[in-house]
Amino acid sequence: MHHHTSYKNHKFSHIVSAMRTMSSLLPLLLMFWAIESHVEGQQHVFALLDPGPDKPVPPVKPAPPPGKPGPPVNPKKVRCRSPMFPTCYNQWHFCPAECAKNCFVDCVSCKPVCSCNFPGAVCQDPRFVGGDGVTFYFHGHKDQDFCLLTDPNLHINGHFIGKRNPKLTRDFTWVQSIGILFDNHKLLVGAKKTSTWDDKQDHIYISFDNTPITLDGNYQNSSLLITRTRPTNGIAIEVQNKFRITATVVPIGEHESRIHGYDITNDDCFAHLELGFKFYNLSDEVDGVLGQTYRRNYVSKIKMSSNMPVMGDIPKYSSSGIFATDCVVSQFGRLGRTSVKGEVF
């Protein structure tokens, strides 16, 4: 009995001693638990940011710079309309941020592409992409007409609008309308002047052989087809074996004006055309600001190392009117030229 009591007292003393040890270690254990929990939390965050090679990294949207909120972006949705590409046909895509309102789907790659980045594009102040793929600028002068393309059976002039920039020796200019001569026809496509922009209103103007066209649906006669590319402000013009032209009316917005220093006021948003050209069966004497870049022997003289490569020789492209063929380089009506067969772009 005495032996059993002694054993119990000895066991109790061990328990008390262990409890005292645990009590002294408790702060250390709590500290280690807190550190371990923090590390595990960090590892969980790192796993979200870098989930490993077999899992996609979740997108991270960068925060806008403080005090400078970006303009609201509402990109246009576009789709491939050619059933020849069944894997892409009718799939919707959003336009890229750099051309949120003016793009199309390249059905081959099934990706949205900025309309102003393809050969034959004329956009902005005016920025050209030549038939050779080289990008350049041609500023011209405001309220004047210039020969964009001239060939024996096709002539296209552009009417420039703009603003004088007191800090520069040139005008800010945009293409407001184009006058197209083909066969015995005259086609005019232009942007109506407007102070404030409403994309739901149609700001495009079309006349064929001096007769205005109201485009409720498609317009077609023996040689000309005009279709809508969007409910308002966008059309495609096609003449078989001659050309296909896309024309979109766009304004100069407040954000764009501020960035480039256009100083656009509320009385005129400088509605203008963004254009895309494809030509068929051009001769090898084709000329004009854009037209010359489609010649097989064309060698660009533009200084490409410049921040803004500009095509000069403004006087030789100047025309006396939107349908005039009196520019120095005019080829319209001259017969007996060698034709370049097939599509050129």
Side-chain angles (χ1 to χ4, degrees), residues 22 51 58 80-81 118 125 132 136 144 146 165 193 198 221 223 227 262 281 322 334 341:
M22 287 290 292
C80 170
R81 295 178 177 271
F118 265 57
D125 177 18
D132 56 355
F136 63 93
Q144 293 186 21
F146 295 93
N165 180 2
K193 183 176 179 178
D198 182 357
N221 63 24
S223 58
T227 56
Y262 295 145
N281 298 323
I322 194 66
R334 298 184 183 183
K341 299 297 181 183

Side-chain angles (χ1 to χ4, degrees), residues 24-163:
S24 63
L25 289 175
L26 185 58
L28 289 174
L29 290 172
L30 288 172
M31 183 177 69
F32 282 125
W33 174 82
I35 293 173
E36 183 67 15
S37 298
H38 179 66
V39 171
E40 286 182 359
Q42 283 187 324
Q43 289 173 343
H44 177 66
V45 172
F46 293 147
L48 288 175
L49 295 175
D50 185 12
D54 298 328
K55 297 179 181 179
V57 178
V60 178
K61 186 177 181 180
K68 292 185 178 180
V73 177
N74 186 20
K76 179 187 171 188
K77 288 180 69 176
V78 290
R79 57 181 170 173
C80 170
R81 295 178 177 271
S82 174
M84 295 178 63
F85 301 90
T87 58
C88 189
Y89 179 61
N90 266 342
Q91 285 190 27
W92 288 100
H93 301 263
F94 285 104
C95 286
E98 60 269 26
C99 57
K101 296 295 183 183
N102 195 10
C103 77
F104 65 93
V105 172
D106 174 21
C107 297
V108 177
S109 63
C110 205
K111 292 180 180 178
V113 178
C114 293
S115 303
C116 292
N117 291 344
F118 265 57
V122 181
C123 300
Q124 300 161 7
D125 177 18
R127 172 183 176 268
F128 290 72
V129 182
D132 56 355
V134 175
T135 299
F136 63 93
Y137 291 81
F138 178 82
H139 299 304
H141 299 295
K142 67 174 184 175
D143 304 322
Q144 293 186 21
D145 302 285
F146 295 93
C147 173
L148 304 184
L149 180 139
T150 178
D151 209 35
N153 297 309
L154 178 63
H155 189 95
I156 304 174
N157 288 333
H159 179 72
F160 286 29
I161 56 173
K163 288 194 70 174

Side-chain angles (χ1 to χ4, degrees), residues 141-200:
H141 299 295
K142 67 174 184 175
D143 304 322
Q144 293 186 21
D145 302 285
F146 295 93
C147 173
L148 304 184
L149 180 139
T150 178
D151 209 35
N153 297 309
L154 178 63
H155 189 95
I156 304 174
N157 288 333
H159 179 72
F160 286 29
I161 56 173
K163 288 194 70 174
R164 167 58 65 180
N165 180 2
K167 297 180 181 178
L168 299 176
T169 57
R170 68 172 183 87
D171 299 330
F172 289 130
T173 53
W174 300 275
V175 178
Q176 182 268 339
S177 59
I178 54 173
I180 307 168
L181 296 169
F182 64 97
D183 300 332
N184 295 315
H185 299 295
K186 294 192 297 184
L187 177 65
L188 177 67
V189 178
K192 298 176 185 177
K193 183 176 179 178
T194 180
S195 56
T196 56
W197 182 260
D198 182 357
D199 199 44
K200 294 179 181 178

